[in-house]
Amino acid sequence: MWFPSPRGRSSSPIADVDAVDEYLEQPLTERTGIGLCLSGGGFRAALFHLGALRRLNELGILARLSTITSVSGGSIIAAHLASRVTWPVSRQVGEWERQVAAPFRAFASHNLRSGPILRRLWPWNWARSSTGAEALAKAYEERLTDLPLSRLPERPMFILCAADMAFGVNWVFQRTRMGDYQAGYVATPSHDWPLARAVAASSAFPPVFNPLPVDIPAAKLIGGKFPSGTKRDAIVRGLRLTDGGVYDNLGLEPVWKDHAVVLVSDAGAVFNPEPDRNVLWRIRRYGGIVRSQAHALRKRWLISSFLAGVIHGAYWGIRSAAASYDQDDSAGYSKRVATEVIARIRTDMDAFSAPEAAVLENHGYVLAAAAVKKHVPELIPEKPPPRDIPHPTWLDEGRVREALRDSAERRLLGRW
């Protein structure tokens, strides 16, 4: 197979056209729209993204987005956003706080994962493989959103991502369709899922939650690459969806090839060094290394593509500081606090305290502001509103270290 230049499509007669379409992004001149990717990472990621969305809204960028893709914790805040605001969203700070920020902080202050986990332990649920995920979907429907997929906004296009365990690819939920390129797609209006169920599929992180069954007849999924026949029908009958972060924790898959600008907000889990313990620890560690490698590879590819001019956009990650983008920018938290404290906050869906929520929202707000200013300044209006950090009383780093000293700790039954 011939591999064309990453900077564009070659007219070489020996080029494999199918390979070009599958593996290469469109030329910059042919791409359109602004895509925002919201990573996975439980409530930690959702609250971090909440801050980033706040600044993007103040700058008028949120209203200009053509697509919002999301994974796991990113899908939680995406569903909240889609359900809470009228598009285009108001840029008034007070309106944002009332409609979006305050209700979401209240939502994230409740333990959402322990109830579904405990239900799995009841003897009459032992034989039910989807108990935890189904209970999670119900919790989302009661506390987060009661919209069906078909009532998602037309613009921006919301794309919630899960991982198809049968074919090992990215499964998408959109307003008009759901499915993946291997299994095929079904039109949403003819098989309308609750948005809450899509969020549950996207955030059912293993092994805490079992995967969610799709339960769509094989004949209704059309256009997939996998050959039709008895084998495909059997695979589709057993098709289940798990956390989107298992496949692509950055949510890049739907937008990287064809969007003119790609913005990525990343609050995914950080791989921390640990001493050797025992066989069980090593088994868990093997999986952790694989996940860390996949995430690092996508991140390095993305940033190298930015640097090479292959893709245009900006990335901000939870371990960064404003000074990473501009050494004279002292807003927000230092690199040490970001690395030693904030990036170690658990990626869970138990109750997050007011200090945890405030710090994460502040951090996402400052980093989005710095990254956009540095890498995509053309998106910023001529007279941008000054930064108005959401929780200025939580900028003192000594106070932050004290309040968040146990935030990395995972508890069996979570926090309530």
Side-chain angles (χ1 to χ4, degrees):
M1 180 183 292
W2 173 83
F3 294 97
S5 166
R7 292 187 177 276
R9 303 183 191 281
S10 170
S11 58
S12 168
I14 62 172
D16 185 328
V17 176
D18 290 337
V20 169
D21 289 339
E22 183 172 357
Y23 294 108
L24 284 186
E25 70 293 324
Q26 293 179 0
L28 285 171
T29 54
E30 297 179 13
R31 291 183 237 160
T32 60
I34 305 171
L36 173 64
C37 305
L38 303 175
S39 80
F43 283 169
R44 180 180 89 173
L47 290 161
F48 177 84
H49 301 326
L50 176 64
L53 290 165
R54 186 182 192 121
R55 184 54 180 168
L56 294 179
N57 187 48
E58 291 173 0
L59 294 172
I61 297 172
L62 190 59
R64 296 172 58 192
L65 295 177
S66 55
T67 307
I68 297 177
T69 71
S70 60
V71 178
S72 196
S75 292
I76 298 172
I77 186 62
H80 175 79
L81 188 66
S83 305
R84 283 281 176 171
V85 303
T86 301
W87 297 84
V89 59
S90 169
R91 292 172 62 181
Q92 296 297 318
V93 173
E95 193 72 4
W96 176 270
E97 175 65 21
R98 183 182 66 82
Q99 287 191 354
V100 180
F104 192 76
R105 289 194 298 270
F107 168 80
S109 70
H110 296 280
N111 186 322
L112 201 68
R113 59 92 160 159
S114 297
I117 292 172
L118 290 172
R119 287 185 181 90
R120 287 179 60 188
L121 301 179
W122 296 344
W124 50 88
N125 283 330
W126 291 352
R128 299 178 60 191
S129 63
S130 62
T131 303
E134 296 286 3
L136 186 61
K138 183 177 180 180
Y140 284 137
E141 193 157 15
E142 292 173 351
R143 295 173 178 253
L144 184 68
T145 179
D146 59 0
L147 286 184
L149 285 176
S150 60
R151 286 182 56 199
L152 283 169
E154 290 187 28
R155 186 180 176 91
M157 179 192 302
F158 283 82
I159 304 178
L160 285 71
C161 301
D164 173 347
M165 294 193 68
F167 293 104
V169 297
N170 192 60
W171 176 284
V172 298
F173 294 97
Q174 301 172 221
R175 186 178 67 86
T176 57
R177 68 172 189 170
M178 61 187 202
D180 61 55
Y181 81 95
Q182 287 282 11
Y185 298 88
V186 60
T188 298
S190 67
H191 196 97
D192 206 358
W193 269 37
L195 177 57
R197 190 172 173 84
V199 179
S202 181
S203 61
F205 58 91
V208 176
F209 296 103
N210 282 331
L212 196 69
V214 172
D215 293 332
I216 297 176
K220 287 188 174 292
L221 287 164
I222 60 175
K225 281 193 170 184
F226 196 85
S228 60
T230 304
K231 182 178 180 180
R232 174 188 179 274
D233 292 352
I235 292 173
V236 171
R237 277 197 301 273
L239 199 153
R240 282 167 166 72
L241 304 176
T242 190
D243 191 301
V246 172
Y247 184 80
D248 172 16
N249 201 50
L250 294 181
L252 283 166
E253 199 74 4
V255 298
W256 70 270
K257 288 184 182 179
D258 58 5
H259 281 60
V261 178
V262 176
L263 307 175
V264 179
S265 183
D266 181 14
V270 175
F271 190 81
N272 294 313
E274 295 180 10
D276 185 76
R277 297 177 188 172
N278 51 47
V279 172
L280 292 178
W281 175 88
R282 291 178 203 131
I283 292 173
R284 180 178 62 84
R285 197 67 168 174
Y286 297 143
I289 292 172
V290 172
R291 289 190 296 273
S292 176
Q293 183 267 352
H295 179 268
L297 187 60
R298 282 189 182 268
K299 177 182 171 182
R300 289 171 183 169
W301 163 81
L302 175 69
I303 294 176
S304 68
S305 297
F306 286 154
L307 293 173
V310 176
I311 299 176
H312 185 52
Y315 167 94
W316 55 92
I318 197 167
R319 298 183 67 172
S320 299
S324 302
Y325 300 92
D326 180 351
Q327 62 182 4
D328 295 325
D329 191 344
S330 60
Y333 306 106
S334 67
K335 177 71 171 179
R336 286 194 64 181
V337 166
T339 303
E340 297 172 2
V341 181
I342 303 175
R344 292 180 179 271
I345 296 174
R346 66 202 177 281
T347 54
D348 208 335
M349 295 191 302
D350 58 3
F352 272 55
S353 67
E356 289 170 335
V359 170
L360 286 165
E361 190 177 354
N362 281 352
H363 197 42
Y365 179 98
V366 169
L367 292 184
V372 168
K373 181 180 178 181
K374 173 72 173 180
H375 296 294
V376 280
E378 69 275 12
L379 297 183
I380 299 177
E382 186 177 344
K383 295 182 179 180
R387 285 185 297 202
D388 184 11
I389 297 177
H391 309 280
T393 58
W394 280 104
L395 290 175
D396 180 86
E397 296 195 348
R399 188 182 182 209
V400 168
R401 284 183 179 275
E402 175 61 25
L404 274 59
R405 66 184 186 278
D406 297 326
S407 292
E409 178 186 345
R410 291 180 181 272
R411 299 175 184 173
L412 181 61
L413 297 181
R415 293 164 168 81
W416 297 84

